[in-house]
Amino acid sequence: MQPQPQPTPQADAPPTARTSLQERRPRALKHGDSFGLFDRAGDLDGAPDSPEGLFHLDTRYLSRLSLTLNGQPPVLLGSALSADNTTLTCDMTNPDAGLEMPRGQLHLRRSKFIWNNACHERVAVRNFGDSAQQVRLDYAFAADFVDLFEVRGRRRPVRGEDQPPVVRADAVELSYHGLDGALRRTRLRFAPAPHSIAPGGAGFVLDVPPGKQCVVFLSVEVEEGNPARALPEAGADRAFHAALRTSRRALRRMASRAARIETSHEIFNEVLRRAGADLDMLLTDKPGGPYPYAGIPWFSTAFGRDALITAWQVLWFDPAIARGVLTFLAETQATTEDPANDAEPGKILHEMRAGEMARLGEVPYGRYYGSVDSTPLFVMLAGDYLDRTGDLATPRRLWPQIEAALGWMERAQRCGGAERGFVTYQRRTPQGLVNQGWKDSGDSIFHADGTLADGPIALVEMQGYVYAAWRAAARIARALGLQPRAEALDARAAALREDFDRVFWDEALGTYVLALDGEGRPCRVRSSNAGHALFSGIAKPERAARLVRTLMDPASFSGWGIRTLAAGEARYNPMSYHNGSVWPHDNAMIAAGFSRYGFRAEAARVLDGMFAAAEHLELRRLPELFCGFPRRNGDGPTPYPVACAPQAWAAVTPLSLLASCLGLRFDPSDGCVGFQRPSLPAFLDTVALRNLRLADSRIDIGFRRVDSEVGMAVLSREGAIRATMTS
């Protein structure tokens, strides 16, 4: 009998790896449940402490892949991701080999992409010299089949067994039998057949005439299951071209569904295009529709909170994503008590993992429900989806799951600790997360003197989400003809708002307190969490102006964005994960709150800061977070070393911020797209929103800024749809 692994205690800390992603600046590709993290030459270094690899369902299926030319690494000229994120292209040349082959005589173009559980690669070698060259291309490869949590630094006392490799004339199969009983395989197929092939490498001898090129193809297919699939009849070359055609058709279909944005600022257009491309890459098809995985490399899986917030951010842009997210999370909603996974009936998923360690219980994330906010966010999104689309059939179908979520919220309010009526959290398993709001690192909730808060903890933003969930459910119930239920839900929301204002508002701080601890004592800390009270609408109107001033004060607003924690607070550290850093999605939600209460000029300032940050960042891509140091002229924001990029809710932040600045609203019953006192930052003179859809109708709308005033014009329309603007 195999010795059984022992559970590893959960570290309440941000994702870590033994090397910085910022130092490596890797290139990421993804499709479905597979993603790759490559170096800038398209290689995988195979080092034990490296985050690089080809991953599938939380397992690294390829850990090493290196390409050499005549026994040496080619000289990298440059590498780039395509604008749509689908293809990594690396341009390389030969190193200097003296008179026989001076540097720069050969050009190597390496193109690779991921599609349907396979990474496809094409290497074209072109001879720019005046004589024929015989060159040798060699691949070295290895598969360690380690779990993603091992890559992140977890140690396992026992692992499964590597299986004997299978070598054919044009293919190698590497496999691993895990302790979970699963057999995982990596198949490398080559075209043409290599001149030499072995379990760890393949070599090609190419005769390249002057002015001509030779091409080599590699297909790396990953698979879990027993028995194995038969090798496809098509070679790696035909597999490359077939997958490329299929992927491009799929991208065109996706693009036709969503809105488009054009502005007067070309760099901002690049930011928007990258945001859309990152969203497309992270979307994963589920039976109920598209679902955005959270981020690469650490979170390329289904997260509840991340997907709900991402879907809300792009609800105006592509409502099909919200429908897919709601459907998947309804299907995975907890139905029983399971303390080991922090599960209770009605709770919405926090995280789902499919790797060996999750299946064995070494980490509690097979289906883990340790987020306090996913459940009200689920109900909120259902209500906002109905408001955006008028599609009553979807919330009608989901009403049992919505009621189950409301039931969990009602029970949680009755058991709210020292302050009855507030929803609190406290983990039920030692492996689970200590903090279960979006700031889930272990040191993120504390008192003014820096002392960590003891649970059960009532977060400021959580009470706002619960308030908004009651209101959203009331709107759905009213649309379903359930008038008494709607009135009861509205009454719950109104009562919570009064209690919240009485207990959480701190006049001396000029903001809502961060949280209440298990004894009901307030955590008197200035944090970005309070801005979510504006986002949810629980903040009373008379508090809004003071709260906005506090959030936009230099102690909180770094110039790039609003910090998670104000400078001067006890645990403030601009290099921390949650105690002074800047998170784009956090800013998007706060800016939406500014817009809700009429502070659109302040929302425009947040957009200006985020755009300035994106201008300096590689690929014009906003990462998961960056450090909270003040903005300095000529410098970009300071990167956080292990931030995911792309990260779904960060990637789409520019789309959300622009909608907040414009005061965008939808009224499906009246076929109307509305804009309330729109404001644009100084760097934008014109904006055009194209392919905005309501049911079967669509409209294009243009905006022009003159000084501080913004005018609107309808550019085109199809069907029964109109646009209005209030000033």
Side-chain angles (χ1 to χ4, degrees):
M1 177 181 288
Q2 296 257 22
Q4 293 301 304
Q6 297 301 308
T8 305
Q10 164 67 28
D12 293 290
T16 58
R18 289 179 285 273
T19 56
S20 167
L21 295 175
Q22 293 302 321
E23 290 175 3
R24 291 175 173 269
R25 294 191 300 157
R27 301 301 199 197
L29 296 170
K30 176 192 172 291
H31 178 253
D33 286 305
S34 305
F35 75 89
L37 204 67
F38 304 94
D39 73 11
R40 300 173 73 82
D43 281 342
L44 307 173
D45 66 7
D49 61 351
S50 172
E52 293 171 5
L54 177 62
F55 294 82
H56 179 69
L57 293 174
D58 297 321
T59 298
R60 182 159 62 187
Y61 276 74
L62 195 68
S63 51
R64 184 187 182 200
L65 182 70
S66 63
L67 179 68
T68 57
L69 174 68
N70 294 335
Q72 299 183 63
V75 177
L76 180 65
L77 301 174
S79 71
L81 283 173
S82 58
D84 60 9
N85 273 350
T86 59
T87 307
L88 171 61
T89 301
C90 310
D91 288 295
M92 298 175 281
T93 189
N94 61 285
D96 189 15
L99 295 176
E100 210 171 278
M101 192 189 299
R103 176 174 170 167
Q105 184 166 327
L106 299 178
H107 174 236
L108 283 72
R109 173 156 289 176
R110 186 181 195 180
S111 304
K112 61 199 310 168
F113 65 97
I114 293 174
W115 187 256
N116 282 352
N117 304 345
C119 182
H120 301 279
E121 177 167 321
R122 175 184 185 270
V123 179
V125 183
R126 182 175 293 275
N127 182 2
F128 282 95
D130 54 10
S131 61
Q133 291 288 343
Q134 185 177 83
V135 299
R136 183 174 181 91
L137 280 183
D138 287 288
Y139 279 105
F141 47 81
D144 60 7
F145 295 101
V146 300
D147 191 282
L148 182 69
F149 285 91
E150 292 180 86
V151 178
R152 285 171 54 171
R154 295 291 185 93
R155 300 295 185 186
R156 299 183 67 196
V158 185
R159 298 190 77 251
E161 294 182 351
D162 292 323
Q163 303 299 295
V166 178
V167 180
R168 299 183 176 90
D170 64 347
V172 174
E173 180 175 290
L174 309 173
S175 58
Y176 165 79
H177 193 268
L179 296 178
D180 59 352
L183 186 62
R184 296 171 172 88
R185 300 180 183 84
T186 303
R187 288 169 168 164
L188 300 98
R189 294 194 293 142
F190 301 91
H195 290 79
S196 61
I197 190 165
F204 299 83
V205 178
L206 307 176
D207 292 306
V208 191
K212 302 294 183 181
Q213 71 175 16
C214 293
V215 180
V216 169
F217 293 89
L218 166 62
S219 177
V220 184
E221 299 156 352
V222 300
E223 177 185 42
E224 178 187 321
N226 196 1
R229 293 176 301 177
L231 278 172
E233 293 183 8
D237 49 350
R238 282 180 286 173
F240 178 96
H241 293 298
L244 189 59
R245 285 193 300 270
T246 305
S247 66
R248 287 174 174 170
R249 283 197 296 267
L251 279 173
R252 285 194 294 270
R253 287 194 301 270
M254 195 182 305
S256 67
R257 189 183 67 209
R260 299 189 307 277
I261 309 169
E262 301 165 4
T263 79
S264 55
H265 200 295
E266 186 49 43
I267 296 179
F268 188 58
N269 290 339
E270 291 179 23
V271 171
L272 294 171
R273 285 193 291 269
R274 183 60 62 186
D278 284 349
L279 174 64
D280 291 346
M281 181 167 70
L282 291 168
L283 287 176
T284 303
D285 288 333
K286 302 289 185 183
Y291 193 98
Y293 279 7
I296 297 173
W298 314 124
F299 308 125
S300 188
T301 189
F303 277 75
R305 176 195 299 124
D306 295 62
L308 288 160
I309 290 174
T310 301
W312 169 82
Q313 289 175 291
V314 296
L315 184 57
W316 72 273
F317 183 79
D318 186 358
I321 296 171
R323 186 171 63 249
V325 168
L326 290 167
T327 300
F328 179 83
L329 292 177
E331 292 169 351
T332 56
Q333 185 177 40
T335 57
T336 59
E337 292 273 347
D338 182 4
N341 290 296
D342 277 326
E344 302 168 53
K347 285 188 80 174
I348 294 298
L349 184 76
H350 171 67
E351 178 178 358
M352 178 182 286
R353 295 285 183 175
E356 183 180 1
M357 293 178 70
R359 292 178 182 176
L360 292 170
E362 295 178 48
V363 294
Y365 303 131
R367 281 197 185 184
Y368 180 59
Y369 293 85
S371 60
V372 72
D373 48 5
S374 293
T375 306
L377 286 168
F378 171 78
V379 181
M380 288 173 63
L381 182 63
D384 288 348
Y385 172 80
L386 177 61
D387 296 342
R388 165 65 178 88
T389 65
D391 169 20
L392 185 57
T394 296
R396 185 190 302 278
R397 173 171 53 84
L398 299 176
W399 185 247
Q401 288 80 22
I402 293 170
E403 280 283 30
L406 297 175
W408 176 82
M409 289 162 49
E410 290 172 5
R411 293 190 298 275
Q413 277 192 307
R414 289 197 297 269
C415 307
E419 284 289 343
R420 291 177 60 82
F422 296 127
V423 176
T424 64
Y425 67 83
Q426 189 162 33
R427 68 178 176 181
R428 304 173 72 190
T429 169
Q431 286 186 294
L433 294 165
V434 166
N435 286 317
Q436 298 189 353
W438 83 261
K439 295 180 180 177
D440 56 8
S441 49
D443 63 348
S444 61
I445 310 300
F446 57 93
H447 288 282
D449 63 358
T451 304
L452 296 181
D454 292 324
I457 291 170
L459 290 170
V460 57
E461 73 269 24
M462 180 59 187
Q463 315 317 312
Y465 300 161
V466 171
Y467 166 84
W470 297 134
R471 296 291 304 274
R475 297 196 304 276
I476 297 171
R478 199 166 282 114
L480 293 173
L482 306 174
Q483 188 64 28
R485 181 63 167 143
E487 291 174 0
L489 292 165
D490 276 333
R492 275 187 171 275
L496 177 58
R497 194 183 206 195
E498 293 299 322
D499 291 341
F500 173 80
D501 185 76
R502 174 178 53 84
V503 175
F504 276 81
W505 180 256
D506 190 306
E507 184 64 28
L509 287 179
T511 184
Y512 294 103
V513 298
L514 170 61
L516 308 179
D517 71 7
E519 297 179 359
R521 296 183 303 154
C523 297
R524 300 187 66 251
V525 173
R526 292 168 298 158
S527 70
S528 66
N529 304 59
H532 293 231
L534 298 171
F535 164 73
S536 64
I538 197 172
K540 288 193 170 182
E542 60 265 30
R543 307 296 191 198
R546 180 79 185 279
L547 177 54
V548 171
R549 286 199 303 273
T550 299
L551 290 166
M552 296 304 291
D553 183 88
S556 289
F557 186 68
S558 72
W560 305 115
I562 297 167
R563 298 182 179 98
T564 48
L565 189 68
E569 295 294 345
R571 288 183 173 270
Y572 171 73
N573 178 352
M575 298 176 290
S576 71
Y577 198 54
H578 286 134
N579 289 335
S581 54
V582 174
W583 288 64
H585 89 278
D586 186 31
N587 278 258
M589 297 174 79
I590 295 169
F594 288 174
S595 181
R596 174 193 282 269
Y597 286 80
F599 294 88
R600 290 190 185 84
E602 287 76 7
R605 281 186 65 195
V606 176
L607 174 56
D608 179 83
M610 283 289 151
F611 168 58
E615 274 190 298
H616 288 89
L617 294 167
E618 189 175 25
L619 303 178
R620 314 288 192 200
R621 170 185 282 162
L622 288 172
E624 177 187 12
L625 73 155
F626 46 84
C627 294
F629 293 109
R631 180 174 170 180
R632 299 178 296 273
N633 289 335
D635 293 334
T638 303
Y640 187 81
V642 294
C644 286
Q647 179 94 348
W649 59 10
V652 300
T653 285
L655 305 177
S656 176
L657 288 172
L658 185 59
S660 295
C661 291
L662 295 174
L664 177 57
R665 301 289 186 272
F666 292 87
D667 184 353
S669 64
D670 196 30
C672 181
V673 181
F675 301 88
Q676 298 177 351
R677 293 191 290 117
S679 178
L680 290 174
F683 71 85
L684 283 181
D685 295 322
T686 64
V687 172
L689 306 182
R690 300 192 182 276
N691 199 38
L692 277 178
R693 293 181 174 271
L694 273 175
D696 296 328
S697 302
R698 55 162 298 279
I699 193 169
D700 296 348
I701 305 168
F703 300 88
R704 180 177 294 276
R705 182 182 59 80
V706 179
D707 297 326
S708 61
E709 299 298 316
V710 176
M712 184 195 80
V714 173
L715 305 177
S716 69
R717 77 179 94 199
E718 293 178 6
I721 190 170
R722 62 191 182 91
T724 63
M725 186 178 80
T726 57
S727 58

